[in-house]
Amino acid sequence: MKRSLEESNLGEPSSKKRKVDQNDPVFAYSEPVEYHCDYCRKDISLTLRVRCADCGEFDLCIECFSAGAELKDHKNNHSYRIIDNLHFPLMVENWSADEEILLLEGLEKFGYGNWVEISDYVSTKSKIECRVHYEQYYINSKHWPQPDYGEIIATRENVKKLNSGRYPIPPVPKSQTKTTIKKPAKVINPVRSDLSNYMPARKEFDLEWNSDMENIVCDIGFEDDDTPEDRDIKVQLWKIYNYKLGLRKKYKEFVLERNLHDIKEQDRLKRSRGKTEKKLHEQLKRYLHILSPQEYEVFLKGLSQEEYLKERIKKLQHWRKMGIKDLKGGDIYDKERKKRDSFRNNRREKSRKRKSKNKPLSVNNAPGVDLLSPTEQQLCSSLHIMPEPYLLVKERLIRENIQEGKVNLVSAKNILHLDEEDINTIIEFFTKCGWVNGA
């Protein structure tokens, strides 16, 4: 239930009624409309209300609707609509007045450009929709920073029909009657991961150095009732904040000047440097702020060349000590030395393996150990062979002996994939036990 209030500034009814055009825009200073609950008669003009979709102009407050109130022809099983006094289009059909308010509140709270946070605050629009709508109807407005009131489409008739559930659907132009599939707009992400989350267009990082320091001063303000001590503390906090801002600017310029944020460029430099240069760079990168990028590269190459010359002089002195008098003899000496070192390493490896084999392997709890005799268990332990593979070796050698009448080293090597020394040990054991005939 609703009624129009036409009162003067003194609160008395106006003697003359202004003729209202149905197409007049609804501005904030227009005559208000009161809504009352048809059951308890409470004023619900400025709150949410429930309108019955079957009974027409029948409104209930949230409390009566929750209790299932019924009156005359209205039943609590009728269809209904939730009505908000700001849920009507203001400047464009797909943006309601309450969404416009949320957009402006989000901009005031999070700041221009933080469209992800603003979109979450509006909750019904994407970040692209929020940005495009604000730029089109606010930034490009002739009355900036206010929107262009000539674009307002909310009229008295439209709001009245919207509240009754009969808001008119705008006609579709003939040029748009054909079904067309539009490609989704390409979303450009300003944050570049290949530049360590740097935004070149805004000249900012997605996460700045010491990004939490704004949280300390965001709520600091100077009040009239502040004591001198309070003012001194606040002034000192602002001085510290300004000092930190200077450091942030200095560090950002340092990173950008040397392209330290460019991951691809740093990978290219890393690949172009030799082993010695990489080692020196890890030791000297703390001194990057002293030299320019070009001077640092020259300095690094000079140190690398110095290390190379030291190693070369050391080698020449060693050659002279060994009686070598020319470079050709030195090259021959290095080749022979490499062969000798390789031979020594191989001997050490074989010796290590032999020593590890001399240590017996415990097969007491291995699967299939109960099928072996004590002497066979001792053989498997000394050769480092588990019982199940040993039984397969035994089966193959006995079958070879039945087919060929004997077993020798050549035939056993074709059957088994073991060391020659281990095969000889196994054949000798089987021959001693009388299971095979040796060569």
Side-chain angles (χ1 to χ4, degrees), residues 5-31:
L5 297 179
E6 299 175 356
E7 298 180 351
S8 64
N9 294 333
L10 298 177
E12 299 178 354
S14 176
S15 58
K16 295 184 180 180
K17 293 186 178 180
R18 182 175 62 86
K19 185 177 180 181
V20 179
D21 189 356
Q22 298 294 340
N23 293 323
D24 285 347
V26 181
F27 295 107
Y29 56 80
S30 62
E31 297 167 311

Side-chain angles (χ1 to χ4, degrees), residues 221-312:
F222 294 93
E223 306 295 340
D224 296 335
D225 55 349
D226 285 345
T227 62
E229 292 79 6
D230 293 338
R231 285 183 172 271
D232 291 340
I233 293 174
K234 291 180 180 181
V235 169
Q236 291 300 323
L237 287 174
W238 279 109
K239 287 182 178 180
I240 294 173
Y241 174 70
N242 290 331
Y243 173 72
K244 295 287 187 180
L245 281 181
L247 288 180
R248 177 187 290 178
K249 181 180 179 182
K250 178 181 176 182
Y251 294 158
K252 184 189 296 184
E253 291 175 352
F254 171 78
V255 170
L256 297 178
E257 182 183 1
R258 288 158 176 79
N259 284 330
L260 299 179
H261 65 299
D262 194 338
I263 298 176
K264 293 182 179 179
E265 178 65 18
Q266 294 302 313
D267 289 342
R268 186 190 66 79
L269 285 175
K270 188 175 181 180
R271 290 193 301 268
S272 64
R273 290 172 179 153
K275 183 178 179 180
T276 306
E277 288 186 6
K278 291 178 182 178
K279 183 178 179 181
L280 290 172
H281 174 66
E282 292 298 324
Q283 299 173 354
L284 298 173
K285 60 183 180 182
R286 69 184 69 180
Y287 303 111
L288 276 170
H289 64 282
I290 299 177
L291 303 173
S292 66
Q294 295 78 14
E295 292 173 342
Y296 177 77
E297 290 297 327
V298 173
F299 178 62
L300 188 63
K301 290 184 182 299
L303 290 178
S304 177
Q305 183 68 16
E306 181 184 358
E307 291 293 326
Y308 169 76
L309 292 175
K310 287 181 179 179
E311 291 293 329
R312 186 65 176 170

Side-chain angles (χ1 to χ4, degrees), residues 125-273:
K125 301 295 181 183
S126 67
K127 60 180 183 179
I128 302 299
E129 291 175 327
C130 293
R131 179 178 61 82
V132 171
H133 182 78
Y134 184 71
E135 291 178 354
Q136 181 176 356
Y137 291 97
Y138 290 87
I139 293 181
N140 297 330
S141 170
K142 299 177 182 178
H143 308 285
W144 166 260
Q146 298 181 0
D148 190 356
Y149 294 109
E151 298 288 338
I152 293 179
I153 64 171
T155 62
R156 300 176 186 276
E157 183 66 23
N158 288 343
V159 173
K160 181 179 179 181
K161 290 182 178 181
L162 175 70
N163 290 337
S164 64
R166 301 187 297 274
Y167 184 70
I169 301 176
V172 181
K174 294 182 179 180
S175 60
Q176 300 181 3
T177 54
K178 295 182 180 181
T179 303
T180 56
I181 301 176
K182 294 183 178 181
K183 295 182 179 179
K186 184 179 180 181
V187 179
I188 301 176
N189 187 6
V191 180
R192 293 184 55 179
S193 58
D194 60 327
L195 295 180
S196 302
N197 292 335
Y198 178 68
M199 295 176 283
R202 297 181 60 177
K203 296 182 180 180
E204 295 177 355
F205 286 93
D206 186 31
L207 187 64
E208 293 284 354
W209 175 80
N210 202 358
S211 59
D212 296 333
M213 63 184 184
E214 277 79 9
N215 298 331
I216 301 175
V217 297
C218 63
D219 297 327
I220 295 179
F222 294 93
E223 306 295 340
D224 296 335
D225 55 349
D226 285 345
T227 62
E229 292 79 6
D230 293 338
R231 285 183 172 271
D232 291 340
I233 293 174
K234 291 180 180 181
V235 169
Q236 291 300 323
L237 287 174
W238 279 109
K239 287 182 178 180
I240 294 173
Y241 174 70
N242 290 331
Y243 173 72
K244 295 287 187 180
L245 281 181
L247 288 180
R248 177 187 290 178
K249 181 180 179 182
K250 178 181 176 182
Y251 294 158
K252 184 189 296 184
E253 291 175 352
F254 171 78
V255 170
L256 297 178
E257 182 183 1
R258 288 158 176 79
N259 284 330
L260 299 179
H261 65 299
D262 194 338
I263 298 176
K264 293 182 179 179
E265 178 65 18
Q266 294 302 313
D267 289 342
R268 186 190 66 79
L269 285 175
K270 188 175 181 180
R271 290 193 301 268
S272 64
R273 290 172 179 153

